[in-house]
Amino acid sequence: MAELMLVVYGTRNGSTQEIAECIGNSLRKEGLAVDVRPAADVRDVCPYSAVVVGGGLYANRWHRDARRFVRRHRRPLGDRSLWLFSSGPLDPSAGERDIPPVPGVRRIADRLGARGHATFGGRLDDTATGRLARMIVKSGKGGDFRDFGKVTAWASGIADALAGEEVRRRAARE
């Protein structure tokens, strides 16, 4: 599996970046070549055969950089293997059950034929920026609800799917 894969993210306080890095590291351990980058920094997705896009959830919407990335690259993304993830619930719910994507992310997944979506718990601590975030932390509702075991398992599923595609491509060539 020598093809290059891209993992991009939109984040405000760094939690989604850490999830994206975990996904990238997990995919590398599975033998994939992976770039992990902020969504706002990516100008071209053409070098990549597969893409994972993640966004932190704020007021039931993906982070602006993730939304803009998908809008800017919608055509080439439609021609690639694509997975999406969201991070944000500030409670244990994402670790207890599968949480469907919020409506805006669901539309993106449907329009671009995403192969999968996962919602992971979020993190909000006293280093958070923004008035609302600080109010949430002060009220005692912050914390770290990410389950990196679940993130790693999801990334392994992506690697397995890509390995299956490679086997099918080789068989078709023979």
Side-chain angles (χ1 to χ4, degrees):
M1 287 190 273
E3 296 179 16
L4 187 57
M5 183 168 190
L6 176 65
V7 179
V8 300
Y9 58 88
T11 189
R12 184 176 297 156
N13 292 300
S15 175
T16 306
Q17 175 182 352
E18 292 170 357
I19 292 171
E21 289 170 351
C22 178
I23 292 168
N25 290 334
S26 297
L27 292 168
R28 286 184 197 104
K29 286 178 185 170
E30 299 279 348
L32 292 161
V34 182
D35 287 341
V36 178
R37 303 196 27 219
D41 291 354
V42 176
R43 300 291 169 241
D44 184 13
V45 299
C46 291
Y48 304 98
S49 60
V51 179
V52 175
V53 182
L57 293 172
Y58 304 95
N60 219 27
R61 293 181 71 193
W62 243 10
H63 187 276
R64 177 186 63 228
D65 291 347
R67 294 190 320 264
R68 287 180 177 172
F69 173 85
V70 170
R71 215 174 18 252
R72 193 170 50 245
H73 301 288
R74 68 183 168 276
R75 287 205 174 121
L77 287 174
D79 296 333
R80 284 157 177 71
S81 296
L82 175 68
W83 285 265
L84 309 173
F85 75 91
S86 302
S87 68
L90 295 175
D91 60 35
S93 61
E96 298 168 350
R97 67 186 191 293
D98 286 335
I99 297 175
V102 296
V105 177
R106 165 58 55 208
R107 281 190 297 278
I108 291 166
D110 291 345
R111 286 180 186 150
L112 298 178
R115 308 225 2 227
H117 173 274
T119 299
F120 302 113
R123 182 198 78 217
L124 194 62
D125 59 25
D126 56 3
T127 64
T129 59
R131 189 175 60 90
L132 182 59
R134 287 191 304 273
M135 286 174 45
I136 291 169
V137 171
K138 275 187 175 181
S139 74
K141 297 195 182 197
D144 191 343
F145 298 93
R146 297 170 299 171
D147 179 344
F148 286 102
K150 185 176 177 182
V151 173
T152 299
W154 187 72
S156 290
I158 292 171
D160 290 346
L162 291 171
E165 285 178 11
E166 181 62 26
V167 167
R168 285 189 293 280
R169 277 194 296 270
R170 275 193 222 141
R173 285 190 298 250
E174 293 173 357

